[in-house]
Amino acid sequence: MQNGPAVRRRKLGAELRTLRTSAGLTSGEAARLVGWHQSKVSRIETGASGVKPADVRLLLDAYEVRDGQLRELLLMLAGSEETGDRDRWWHAYRGVLPPTYRDFISLESQASAMRTLETTVVPGLLQTPEYARAVTRAAVKDLDDERLDTLVEVRLARQDVLRTNPPLRLSAVLDEAVLRREVGGPEVMARQLERLTEAARLPQVRLQVLPFGAGAHVGLTGPFVIFSFPSTSDLDVVVLDQLTSSLYLERKEDLMAYSEAFDTLRMHALSPEETLDYIAGIGDGA
């Protein structure tokens, strides 16, 4: 388990090492091409030290990497602020958002797909403003109104990833408790259920409910998110959200375990069509 920035350095380094090898270069030869000492290339590839976007660009040019999407993704991992508004809007909130949250948003903004299990609250990308306000006020202690407004604003801004071209593909499994928990009061929950129904009809969203009747399941250990990225699966990452921080899992064994767990949850959950009927029934008081 690593925190967000460490995972990003390791993943960036591993990808750069793969690209160097594909280019038929040793680390020493790569260093000479860009005018560095060989040890700098090694530190970057092992994730032992950070790397500036300009240095990543030098290496990509030396390795003759022309894939624009891959270059953009690797520059994002290096912390580039030159890869478009979609990638940097949250920097305006740098003084409000903790580093782990900023890193999560950064990954979310660049991911091509997101799989998530939620056992307690509606996923942030599908929350209404009123629901987001109620959840944030309950989760963050001693919030003044101005900071609360800002955090809700960020939550809603994140939802733009579902409207970009191409949009993020979201597959979400919700425990029935998410739908039954009355967050913000009856009116807020009624509108939130309507929002889930609207979202479930979007082509880029696959929503499934895991009913209480499914009994014990692998998701009882807690919610998780799996981000997948374009161009390479080696950058995929699992995120486990904690009360005060987030943990990132990058090992292939972890990715496989959580991917298999998500597939199992989907099999035990209601189909997307059945989910729409189930949400409607809860909304009607069933």
Side-chain angles (χ1 to χ4, degrees):
M1 295 184 181
Q2 299 287 342
N3 59 33
V7 152
R8 285 153 61 102
R9 286 198 307 270
R10 288 166 62 92
K11 287 186 174 293
L12 175 59
E15 187 64 20
L16 289 172
R17 181 171 60 250
T18 298
L19 292 171
R20 172 179 60 75
T21 302
S22 297
L25 299 170
T26 66
S27 58
E29 290 169 339
R32 285 192 293 273
L33 281 175
V34 295
W36 299 344
H37 193 279
Q38 187 271 340
S39 62
K40 179 173 180 177
V41 174
S42 296
R43 289 197 304 272
I44 290 173
E45 291 185 352
T46 60
S49 64
V51 56
K52 297 178 181 178
D55 288 342
V56 171
R57 195 175 291 107
L58 278 176
L59 291 173
L60 294 178
D61 289 343
Y63 304 157
E64 299 183 357
V65 176
R66 304 289 180 242
D67 185 330
Q69 193 175 46
L70 179 58
R71 289 178 67 99
E72 181 178 333
L73 178 58
L74 296 180
L75 287 169
M76 181 276 294
L77 289 176
S80 175
E81 297 189 5
E82 304 171 7
T83 53
D85 290 338
R86 179 186 177 193
D87 306 333
R88 66 171 183 251
W89 62 265
W90 59 89
H91 289 299
Y93 302 95
R94 186 176 291 271
V96 178
L97 305 180
T100 52
Y101 191 22
R102 293 200 304 268
D103 206 65
F104 182 92
I105 296 172
S106 176
L107 292 173
E108 183 180 71
S109 73
Q110 283 297 320
S112 58
M114 174 179 171
R115 289 166 285 172
T116 182
L117 166 71
E118 286 292 350
T119 58
T120 54
V121 297
V122 171
L125 296 183
L126 303 179
Q127 292 178 6
T128 65
E130 297 79 14
Y131 186 98
R133 177 174 294 274
V135 167
T136 304
R137 186 177 291 281
V140 185
K141 186 180 179 180
D142 299 329
L143 267 183
D144 57 51
D145 289 341
E146 182 177 358
R147 187 155 185 257
L148 175 61
D149 289 342
T150 300
L151 291 175
V152 172
E153 184 179 318
V154 169
R155 180 70 53 89
L156 300 180
R158 286 173 47 203
Q159 298 177 3
D160 284 345
V161 295
L162 295 176
R163 296 183 284 267
T164 54
N165 186 23
L168 176 78
R169 299 190 309 277
L170 173 64
S171 181
V173 174
L174 309 185
D175 189 276
E176 183 174 342
V178 173
L179 309 180
R180 298 286 185 183
R181 179 168 290 104
E182 197 171 272
V183 174
E187 291 185 5
V188 171
M189 278 307 299
R191 175 61 191 127
Q192 180 61 69
L193 293 177
E194 291 175 2
R195 168 65 180 135
L196 287 175
T197 298
E198 294 165 1
R201 293 195 172 104
L202 296 173
Q204 65 270 35
V205 175
R206 181 185 177 92
L207 185 64
Q208 294 179 258
V209 168
L210 194 62
F212 289 147
H217 55 77
V218 67
L220 291 176
T221 55
F224 60 85
V225 173
I226 306 172
F227 285 124
S228 298
F229 295 88
S231 302
T232 174
S233 62
D234 288 341
L235 297 177
D236 291 358
V237 63
V238 176
V239 185
L240 306 179
D241 207 20
Q242 308 291 310
L243 181 62
T244 58
S245 63
S246 295
L247 296 175
Y248 294 70
L249 307 179
E250 59 174 327
R251 297 186 311 161
K252 290 186 183 296
E253 307 94 287
D254 294 324
L255 289 167
M256 183 177 297
Y258 277 88
S259 293
E260 291 176 353
F262 191 78
D263 289 342
T264 299
L265 290 166
R266 283 183 51 183
M267 286 190 296
H268 286 89
L270 300 176
S271 70
E273 295 74 23
E274 292 169 332
T275 289
L276 284 172
D277 293 337
Y278 209 77
I279 293 174
I282 292 177
D284 292 337

